[in-house]
Amino acid sequence: MSILSVEGLGKTFGGLKALSGVSFSVKKGEILGVIGPNGSGKTTLINCITGFVRPDEGKVLFKGADITHWRAHRIARVGVARTFQVMRPFYSLPAYKNLIIPLWSPRARKDGGWRGGGKHGDRDTVAIDILEEIGFERDSRVPYKLASTLPTGYLKRLELARCLALRPEVIFCDEVFSGLSASEVASMLPLIEKLKMGGITLVLIEHRLRELFKVADRIMALQFGEKIAEGHYKDVIEDPRVKEAYLGIEEV
Amino acid sequence: MSDGRDRKERIDRGIKVRSDGLYAVSSLREMLYLSGPRILLIAGLLLLPLLLDPFPYWKRVVNILCVYALLAIAFDFLANCVGLVCLGGSMFIGLGGYFAAVFNVHLHLPIYLSIPAAALAGAVIATLLILPCLSLRGVYFAIVTLMYPLLFTRVIEAFDLLGGSNGITGLDSFPGTNLENYSILLILLAVLFGLRRVLNDDIGLVMHAVKDNDQSVRASGIDVVGIKALAVFIASFIGCLGGAYLAHVYMWAGLSLFALDFSIIPIAAVTIGGGGVLFGAVVGCLILVPLSEFLRFFGTFRIVLYCTVLTAFIVLKSEGLMPYCTRKYEQFERWADA
Amino acid sequence: MEILLFGVINSVTLSLTALGFTLVYGISRLPNFAHGALYVTSGYIVWLCVNTLGLNYVLGIVVGIVATAIIGALMYRLIILRIRGMQISEIIATYAIGLAIIEGLRWGGLRGSTFTLPSFLAGSFEIGGIAVDYQRLFVLGSGVVVFAALGLFVKYTKTGLALKAIAQDERAAMMLGIDSDRKALVSFALGSGLSAFAAVLILPLGSIVVETGYNVLIYSIAVSIIGGLGSWGGAIVASFIIGFAQILTEVFLSTQYQMVISLLAIIVTLLLKPSGIFGKQKELDDRV
């Protein structure tokens, strides 16, 4: 049973076809990895699905409902969250206050999952809980620091935490591993696994293939806005078109 | 090396070493320290009409001061808490004033109904007018709000609407000068503390986040346009309240309600008093409005003066007086060894 | 025929006045709310040169344009450069400067119809039974010339190309060794100079009144919003739309509706296509 399916999504910027006819679907609890060289339309794909860019053609179905031209905040409210490639935390707020914003959203309030019905203090506690879950040390000063003073590793986690605060069903992660050191990535991987265990569906867009292949159940490869391969990672990297996209055309 | 004493050291006062808004107040002195400035402000404002009793002219100035303070609070709220720069504060005054006039003169509502009704109606209209540009970021809001008061003036003048350039006369005045004074003072204090409460609440945080990074707010499942519209509604309600009051004080609503002063003095007051803290706006008005009464003789030159002071403050002391004083109030300074 | 002719003239006038604003915004992302003020100032400077200093009219015009450009440059160097990047402060500062200039001129006595500039070319001629004075025709011609010159400047000179580069991506331009502050200064001076140029062309058609400052600002803003902030082509198309709309309302309704028409145009634009007719639809950037 697929939780989210995309049919023939297309988007043109000026004369440039950023996406054309991309179709795929994700099953509940699955981790789908999306790879592709720079400019192959990965981020545009996320933007189109999550409503930050209006797609020109195609459909996005979430649990059977057509969410194609919904506005971004509505899509987030039904449970499709995303992170940004260029991190966009609220720099002027402390890390834990960053989470108050998603916790304040109608989804988090109505869902009743968080104890915070509206009381000020409750949301703060929930925020700290989420941060701890995602790898901020509860007893340190880190969760209370201004986001602008945090290093990249924490900011990437904060992006994820902001998604988690929405209690999403699907998370689109735009390059969460990029810019992190090997050890930081190594500590992120179990986190991703943990989210999967929690029943969250993840779509990871990644350049760090080795790490991605460790966690992803399925891989989809994009080039020039088109899907060129899909399947188990071993099959995908053996695909001649994927090889060509990454290595260039071999001259015989 | 030197003989010591060559570095100014700043130490936060003990009570301010706090963790996230939590701090223990252990003595009367500390309580006084914390609430002193607030009490001073409230008491000062409330006593002002009594102190000025022998000078009826200046009692009226206090009313106008309060109206300007309301506008300045609205501007500060929009600019520094939501990130929308409103260059046409006089639009709110004008809308509130004209609505009050229509409600009072044409519909015969009593004064205590016409003011809130006018504020509400004005706020609704202002929000609707501004709504189209709320989905855009950046300078659009400033541009559109700049245009509206000028357009209103032209339209009213050109079509001879609402009394044309003569305005609408014959509004009820307040039953007494004390009521006149204290009603606006209480409104001001209520708005001041009420708005501060809103800002310290989670919704204030969301508004702040909109200013910081609206994309992330959208990704968090919150309607940015809705939040902005709410903020504009609150601000224009405050502004229109002032306008409706002013129309009743003057017993007249006319084109001068759209005057430039109502747009520029609040901006200048916020810049001088310090943005982001609503009290700064009030402090700025306390300085500027009496000054402007002294300079009444100079006519439009006053505006030149405000603009110069305003620009100088932005360039040279952009934090403003209020944050500066707060900082000084909360820190010891002493010379220390380097 | 009459509508067509006056529509074109009106449109070119509008686009000339709006050009300075659009140029500065397009290059350095600065909304210059002092635009209208600079426009009036240049007219006043020319008037001073001619009537008080007794200079030659042509010389006076040159002085006026250069002086306004210098005022613009100083404004940027002394004030705006220090608050670059703080958008709220930028908006407030340019607005305050503009107001200070306009109201200062008003206080200085720039009222009534005593301040007029003579037209360069007196007299008029008839096309198909409609009298058109030479000055308007001159405005039309020089407008076209300015647009062409500006286009060539941006395309073929080094400074022009640098300005274009900054307009597209300031950071990348800086990495290529373009001093973005200096170029912004140039753009500010250029924009001020252009508004002065427009002023000396157009002001002889009427008298110099301070209210012109506000009108010019409003129309420039209207034109740039409808055309898409920062897009020159859009600004020209938009000024034709507003220009013709004004003439049409003047002919079929009455002059009072002119202001309303431009307001309506702005609101409709914001509702339908907020980034303007030719605005680059940077959806992640400008649209919330």
Side-chain angles (χ1 to χ4, degrees), chain A residues 19-133:
Chain A
L19 273 186
S20 55
V22 177
S23 307
F24 67 93
S25 63
V26 214
K27 287 197 281 292
K28 188 163 169 53
E30 189 186 28
I31 297 185
L32 174 71
V34 180
I35 62 172
N38 284 326
S40 56
K42 302 187 298 293
T43 299
T44 311
L45 181 69
I46 288 199
N47 283 342
C48 283
I49 295 173
T50 51
F52 280 80
V53 168
R54 289 175 77 90
D56 297 331
E57 53 188 30
K59 267 205 287 194
V60 181
L61 300 173
F62 175 67
K63 294 205 276 191
D66 191 350
I67 58 166
T68 315
H69 290 295
W70 285 17
R71 298 202 296 160
H73 63 93
R74 260 186 89 194
I75 294 181
R77 274 181 207 175
V78 293
V80 181
R82 69 166 294 180
T83 70
F84 290 98
Q85 181 179 10
V86 183
M87 293 158 291
R88 297 165 181 265
F90 306 111
Y91 281 113
S92 58
L93 300 179
Y96 78 105
K97 289 281 185 195
N98 266 264
L99 300 191
I100 302 294
I101 283 86
L103 285 177
W104 190 84
S105 78
R107 177 180 175 82
R109 277 189 292 178
K110 195 173 56 191
D111 218 28
W114 304 123
R115 287 158 288 153
K119 269 288 188 64
H120 196 61
D122 271 352
R123 270 195 206 120
D124 287 356
T125 351
V126 175
I128 301 274
D129 287 347
I130 297 174
L131 282 181
E132 189 183 25
E133 194 182 327

Side-chain angles (χ1 to χ4, degrees), chain B residues 135 137 143 146 154 260 315, chain C residues 82 214-215 221 285-286 288:
Chain B
S135 66
R137 209 190 287 164
I143 289 177
L146 169 75
R154 301 285 151 82
L260 215 47
V315 173
Chain C
R82 294 161 185 251
Y214 294 118
N215 287 347
I221 285 170
D285 246 20
D286 283 334
V288 174

Side-chain angles (χ1 to χ4, degrees), chain C residues 23-42:
Chain C
L23 186 96
V24 174
Y25 189 84
I27 291 171
S28 40
R29 303 269 137 198
L30 265 172
N32 182 10
F33 287 112
H35 176 68
L38 291 171
Y39 180 92
V40 180
T41 314
S42 62

Side-chain angles (χ1 to χ4, degrees), chain B residues 79 87 135-137 139 143 146-148 150-151 154 158-159 214-215 224 260 267 298 300-301 304 307 315, chain C residues 31 82 88 92 95-96 99 103-104 107 214-215 218 221 256-257 259 263 266-267 270 274 284-286 288:
Chain B
L87 294 183
S135 66
L136 291 154
R137 209 190 287 164
V139 296
I143 289 177
L146 169 75
M147 292 183 63
Y148 275 126
L150 294 167
L151 283 165
R154 301 285 151 82
F159 296 104
D214 46 10
Q215 295 295 328
V224 174
L260 215 47
I267 301 179
F298 288 102
T300 59
F301 184 68
V304 181
C307 293
V315 173
Chain C
R82 294 161 185 251
I88 295 176
I92 296 176
Y95 180 57
L99 272 189
E103 295 302 322
W107 183 68
Y214 294 118
N215 287 347
I218 289 192
I221 285 170
Q256 298 159 356
Y257 286 93
M259 217 44 157
L263 173 72
I266 287 182
I267 291 183
L270 287 177
L284 268 173
D285 246 20
D286 283 334
V288 174

Side-chain angles (χ1 to χ4, degrees), chain C residues 239-275:
Chain C
S239 48
F240 270 83
I241 294 174
I242 294 192
F244 273 95
Q246 279 182 344
I247 294 292
L248 286 175
T249 45
E250 200 176 315
V251 173
F252 292 110
L253 294 163
S254 81
T255 27
Q256 298 159 356
Y257 286 93
Q258 281 193 354
M259 217 44 157
V260 186
I261 285 291
S262 41
L263 173 72
L264 273 181
I266 287 182
I267 291 183
V268 168
T269 314
L270 287 177
L271 283 177
L272 296 182
K273 192 166 184 304
S275 53

Side-chain angles (χ1 to χ4, degrees), chain B residues 148-193:
Chain B
Y148 275 126
L150 294 167
L151 283 165
F152 275 124
T153 329
R154 301 285 151 82
V155 168
I156 290 175
E157 227 167 20
F159 296 104
D160 218 16
L161 290 172
L162 299 165
S165 46
N166 292 325
I168 302 174
T169 47
L171 276 82
D172 293 343
S173 68
F174 279 87
T177 44
N178 274 333
L179 189 65
E180 192 178 293
N181 277 146
Y182 280 105
S183 55
I184 192 73
L185 276 170
L186 289 177
I187 287 177
L188 175 64
L189 287 175
V191 163
L192 191 56
F193 285 93

